[in-house]
Amino acid sequence: QLQLVESGGSLVQPGGSLRLSCAASILNLDFYALGWFRQAPGKEREGVSCISTLDNITSYVDSVKGRFAISRDKRTVYLQMTSLKPEDTATYYCAAKWVGMSRRCLLNSGEYDDWGQGTQVTVSS
């Protein structure tokens, strides 16, 4: 069973930056599609960004394009967040799905099998 642990959430002022990390319990995430999601109180979980296997194809929800960047290494997926806004306030979750060599980038939460416990990001002055 793959386990994922997020870290890096914090209280930050508008315009600030944060880097979220999601570490896996296995040695190699190469054949897993990875994603970041967020959920604000009273709202549905939203796909923020995803990254594929092999070619590292990425995708972002429109509201974070140009401000957030997803990346990955062997055991960790990252979300670099800049120019943060109050509307970015949410609990952020990472997710993984074994896809082999399919190069899939998935922004639909229903596609994923494994989830972290979440890390809180609060953007406020």
Side-chain angles (χ1 to χ4, degrees):
Q1 178 79 22
L2 171 62
Q3 294 183 323
L4 301 168
V5 179
E6 302 97 334
S7 61
S10 182
L11 170 64
V12 62
Q13 291 188 342
S17 299
L18 281 176
R19 189 192 197 203
L20 305 183
S21 299
C22 173
S25 59
I26 60 174
L27 293 178
N28 191 336
L29 287 170
D30 284 356
F31 298 109
Y32 284 80
L34 302 171
W36 282 98
F37 294 79
R38 66 185 179 186
Q39 189 165 19
K43 295 189 176 181
E44 292 187 355
R45 188 167 296 189
E46 173 187 42
V48 175
S49 182
C50 61
I51 187 166
S52 73
T53 58
L54 301 178
D55 296 336
N56 288 338
I57 297 166
T58 60
S59 183
Y60 300 89
V61 67
D62 285 347
S63 60
V64 307
K65 285 180 180 177
R67 300 189 297 121
F68 289 12
I70 190 170
S71 60
R72 63 188 293 165
D73 61 24
K74 282 291 186 183
R75 297 187 65 181
T76 307
V77 58
Y78 305 96
L79 187 68
Q80 180 68 49
M81 305 187 294
T82 62
S83 301
L84 282 161
K85 304 175 181 180
E87 51 263 44
D88 295 318
T89 295
T91 301
Y92 283 71
Y93 301 88
C94 65
K97 179 180 176 65
W98 194 92
V99 295
M101 300 177 69
S102 71
R103 294 182 173 88
R104 298 174 68 189
C105 186
L106 307 171
L107 269 180
N108 182 346
S109 61
E111 299 262 20
Y112 285 92
D113 301 315
D114 299 291
W115 292 84
Q117 83 290 346
T119 186
Q120 179 66 37
V121 173
T122 302
V123 185
S124 175
S125 54

